Amino acid sequence: MGRLQSVRKGSWTEEEDLLLRKCIEKYGEGKWRHVPARAGLNRCRKSCRLRWLNYLRPNIKRGDFAVDEVDLIIRLHKLLGNRWSLIAGRIPGRTANDIKNFWNSHLSKKLNWENSSTLTAMRLPNSDASCPSPSGSMGLAMGSGVDETLQQEEEGFTGPAPTELNPLEEEEDSFWKSLLFEVEEEASKSFRDGSSDTAHGKDDLFVGLEGLFSDGNLWDMIGSD
DNA sequence: AAGACGGTCAACCGCTCCTTC
DNA sequence: CGAAGGAGCGGTTGACCGTCT
């Protein structure tokens, strides 16, 4: 009937945020198709969903990424590639959009630059105390600690050392194991379904893991902020 | 002081995957 | 089993802001 009402685009107002928040509180997440009408918003369902997921959802962290978060992002990206939602699922309080933006604006250039320069110049002599080492609860599970990984790399280290783990390390260990399990499940499923998504197949997964564990000094690569 | 430039981030777009019928 | 619609994802865009010249 030619009633193609144009939906609003652009930045969200506080009033719109309030309406959306109230709607989600009342009806819960999901059923995004109904959200605009329920909330009384002249927005498309995608816009509502995005706004909620990236901005309004409780427990969302704003501001700078912590050292351990950055380290985790780098490693997860090495393992998973540009699968931001998967990466975000492993970093509490951070959204896929946040991580994607952060990667694109901070890390990708830095890593590209450093990677290309280290090919010829090898490691830059700046791995001193000014480079923070990952130390939070989400830090490295395997051979955590910058000097350790560096040493392992120089000694031809290619996998996690079978050392005894303290409780914190055990927690981290289980984190990586569960992640590995999830990704492997997905890869297996794709494999069984004959999916053409070979970019994330099992082989690549283990290539990624190998790189993940045998990785050199990430903080050397990206420098310290 | 002001224009140019680059970086950041919120939001949109289009595609793929998933679910339902 | 296939089609259609919905949901989710990653890539891209554009506005805004800070820095540089």
Side-chain angles (χ1 to χ4, degrees):
Chain A
M1 308 253 193
R3 54 170 183 83
L4 202 64
Q5 196 181 0
S6 65
V7 293
R8 212 179 102 76
K9 293 181 183 178
S11 299
W12 282 64
T13 64
E14 277 185 35
E15 192 186 355
E16 286 176 314
D17 283 346
L18 192 65
L19 287 170
L20 180 59
R21 191 178 281 122
K22 278 184 177 173
C23 176
I24 302 294
E25 279 169 5
K26 186 173 181 182
Y27 297 100
E29 271 188 73
K31 305 276 189 226
W32 294 107
R33 188 164 49 99
H34 303 302
V35 167
R38 283 172 173 170
L41 287 164
N42 185 27
R43 295 270 185 175
C44 72
R45 53 118 186 148
K46 282 185 173 186
S47 187
C48 293
R49 178 181 164 274
L50 207 66
R51 184 64 179 172
W52 173 255
L53 293 178
N54 290 335
Y55 200 84
L56 297 177
R57 207 167 43 153
N59 305 325
I60 285 184
K61 278 192 215 166
R62 318 295 310 172
D64 293 345
F65 281 71
V67 163
D68 53 352
E69 286 178 316
V70 175
D71 182 77
L72 190 57
I73 289 169
I74 292 168
R75 286 169 188 274
L76 286 171
H77 185 269
K78 187 161 189 171
L79 174 63
L80 302 169
N82 290 2
R83 299 160 90 186
W84 306 115
S85 60
L86 261 179
I87 295 172
R90 290 282 155 181
I91 304 177
R94 297 297 185 182
T95 70
N97 209 36
D98 271 349
I99 294 168
K100 180 173 58 180
N101 282 332
F102 182 73
W103 181 269
N104 288 334
S105 59
H106 291 84
L107 297 178
S108 63
K109 289 175 206 160
K110 240 175 177 176
L111 285 172
N112 281 339
W113 188 85
E114 292 292 352
N115 276 333
S116 61
S117 62
T118 48
L119 281 176
T120 52
M122 301 301 288
R123 182 170 287 106
L124 298 170
N126 68 340
S127 56
D128 56 19
S130 67
C131 294
S133 71
S135 58
S137 64
M138 306 216 304
L140 309 183
M142 313 291 180
S144 59
V146 168
D147 293 335
E148 227 175 289
T149 44
L150 176 59
Q151 192 180 349
Q152 284 159 353
E153 187 188 40
E154 284 167 353
E155 291 170 1
F157 177 80
T158 56
T163 54
E164 284 184 20
L165 302 175
N166 65 36
L168 180 61
E169 286 170 336
E170 272 180 20
E171 187 188 330
E172 293 165 348
D173 187 42
S174 67
F175 167 85
W176 284 103
K177 279 176 179 168
S178 66
L179 170 65
L180 173 59
F181 179 77
E182 273 182 31
V183 180
E184 193 177 355
E185 278 285 291
E186 198 186 330
S188 301
K189 194 174 152 221
S190 305
F191 190 72
R192 281 196 305 272
D193 296 347
S195 160
S196 61
D197 190 16
T198 52
H200 304 303
K202 262 189 166 180
D203 288 348
D204 284 342
L205 168 67
F206 291 114
V207 167
L209 272 180
E210 190 184 354
L212 190 69
F213 296 137
S214 64
D215 199 6
N217 187 336
L218 287 165
W219 291 103
D220 276 357
M221 286 169 67
I222 65 169
S224 59
D225 288 327

